[in-house]
Amino acid sequence: MHRYVDIILPLALPGTFTYRLPEWLMGQIGVGCRVVVPLGKSKYYTGIVHRLHDTPPAEGIVVKDVCEVVDSTPILLPQGLKLWEWISSYYLCHLGEVMKAALPSGLKLESETLVSLNPDAAAEAPAEEVAEKIVQQLKDGKAQRIDALAKAIGYARIDTQVRRLVEQGLLVVEEKMARSFRPRTETKVRLGKKWASQTDANEIWDALRRTPKQEKLLQAFFYLTECPLELQGIRDDEYAVLSKKRLAQHPDFSASAFDGLRRKEILEVFTAEVSRLKTPKALPQALTHALDEQQSAALEQIEASWQKHNVCLLHGVTSSGKTEVYIELIRREIAAGRQVLYLVPEIALTTQLTTRLGRVFGDKMGIYHSKFPDAERVELWQRQLTSTPFPLILGVRSSVFLPFQNLGLIIVDEEHETSYKQQDPAPRYNARDAAILLARFVGARTLLGTATPAVETYYNAHEGGKYGYVSMTKRHGDVALPEIIVEDVKELKRKKIMKSPFSPRLAEEVNQALDDGGQAILFYNRRGYSPVMECRSCGWTPHCNNCDVPLTFHQRIGKLTCHYCGATYDIPRQCPQCEETDLKDIGYGTEKIESAVQGCFPKAKTARMDLDTTRSRDAYEKIIHDFQCGQSNLLVGTQMVTKGLDFDRVRVVGILNADQALNIPDFRAHERAYQMLSQVAGRAGRRGKQGKVILQTRQANLPLIKQIVQSDYEAMYLTQVAERKAFGYPPFTRIINIYVKHRDERFCVTAASHLATMLRPHFGTNLLGPDRPSIGRIQSQHIRKMMLKVVPSLPPQGTRRTLLAAAEVLKNHPALKGVTLYFDVDPLG
């Protein structure tokens, strides 16, 4: 029997932690199981077993015992652990950070610090006011959490006072493990003990003739359970079981009649676990949808490409019918007894896809994303470990961590999307790349689908030879691609023709579309009412106190908001510099566009889709449902409206500021602008009549504008790949951004310089910086950034060891304590 275990704890600390396995727990756990272990003087954590072994630690190191085993079977499967290890290694982060990101909160037991009065205390009552309030609050003898105690007495932090009271012996501290997940239960009704045979059943019905209310209620019970007549004479929990809530809603229900049936043991009440997971109902007619000629050819080509490559890129223009190809592939995998993971970049996409896939696959499909309550995510995780897991999972990037027992296919829809990349906190992984590795680990295949592939993906499919490639060049039903009309805003304003955010041509086309019963989308990638407020006299603009950014005016809440830290401020009544009261808002946000719509388009029933209007889980669904059903006919939105949404009646798409995406200091700006503008243009004219896109720009002669008008992805790719080869950017190198942060700018600069001095001998001119980024302070943290170009000749493991060793030296430098350092591997922004 193994005597020691290495445990992964959900902490940003290197490596694993070794514990001794008590004799009474030997043979009860395996790799991937959860255990409760102590850490430090009084903390307890839930960890995942990483390894079982008999190697004792070095002499002099005290090893603590495992306290408790949470699982009898693993919740982390071997391929899942392998994926964790790869993410930790490749993205230069700790296994504990991967654990925190991978597991729903309900699967991580947390240690709560509880304090109570010491009944044997000999110390005198405290003199300080806060300490006295603490003691008074605990007089009832019940232990309380420190944060709840602070709230009860009206203070933000009381840690210092609690520590002093503990030292004085007035309080005692204990740690309690809080299990945040509890199965949902429901009160149910079934037949009681009297139902043993048909003879007993006949006697019950004869006796109930004297109590008609009880007789009617029992009849209602059988009617609602849909129990077959031949089975109504015996107790059978498979049929005659009903929730008490549903029975209570029947017109013949009364509390007295129900209590009478319980006393006679005719009905029995019990508590049962019920699922929180809602599954759609399949529609049989949805299963018979035939593929067109282009889709059938694409399907055959994909299957053929998988004979040579495990990864295939499906490059199909917008509305070419890629989803129907996905559905057929999913159907084949499920028929073969394998599971499918269908990844989408954002929750907005799951709304329409849930309906569409639900009609085909019904209760075979599970949905997993962060807007679901944690308890639902825990339940889905546990369902995937049973003998009846969902064959199909539709989810966002965290879905790659789910336990799959027989994964056959991963579909990554809109593979170019930046939403697949986790930004903060660590692990800063890309779910698209993690999905490809997961598929490789389990022998599954991967399909990457998009109308605008990432440059690196297209390179891997063509010149790199890593991926297969299949294209779909026509829209489904031979619908023409939208006509893109370029409006030169600079020229229109010079001629004083354009007096609103909408050019005359855009206003005309939108009004015509609405008159004809169609719909329109207006795209502007900036939320809020106005991005800047300015004093007309001296030019002063309000900035965030915590970040080096101007504040955005939000008219709906009447506040100025920082879009980086979320802080809100009152609108100043006068300028603090010149004391003038003439402040004006400059520029547009989606709120202001929405306001302008009401004046320009009298027939518009407007909806807005941005981060401010989609905070809740149901907000996306309502906005999309209302637009799809015609309750709104003009949708104003940010980049959320670009992400694969499919509407039948959109005739016109207006792109209000095509130049905005180019004004970003990033080598990917041109590629990103092409992808975003092409995707939003693709929302127009997806059924029947050709749609129109009005593209408003101040730089009508830019090559980018011509590429978008001509839908010429190849031209965009060739110009970008040539530039990147010349200047040493991906796909010809890998990029690792190195960030140093501190509240004091001097410490930040010193730490960054010290780190650069250590790394420069190893990487030479491939290490750029340290520099102050365009936004040099966020959430009161000053930032310095370095960019490392990892050329193919550099060994990956050697690079990793060098970076981590330098980070460890910096972390242990006595003069630089408190400095935050992290790596962003393959950054997308």
Side-chain angles (χ1 to χ4, degrees), residues 727-748:
F727 293 100
Y729 283 106
F732 304 99
T733 62
R734 281 176 54 227
I735 298 291
I736 301 177
N737 282 342
I738 305 165
Y739 290 92
V740 176
K741 293 184 178 181
H742 197 275
R743 295 181 72 88
D744 188 320
E745 189 169 15
R746 294 170 300 172
F747 278 86
C748 183

Side-chain angles (χ1 to χ4, degrees), residues 803-824:
L803 291 174
L804 292 178
E808 192 64 23
V809 171
L810 191 73
K811 177 184 171 184
N812 294 323
H813 196 293
L816 298 174
K817 295 214 169 182
V819 170
T820 300
L821 166 67
Y822 66 86
F823 304 99
D824 188 2

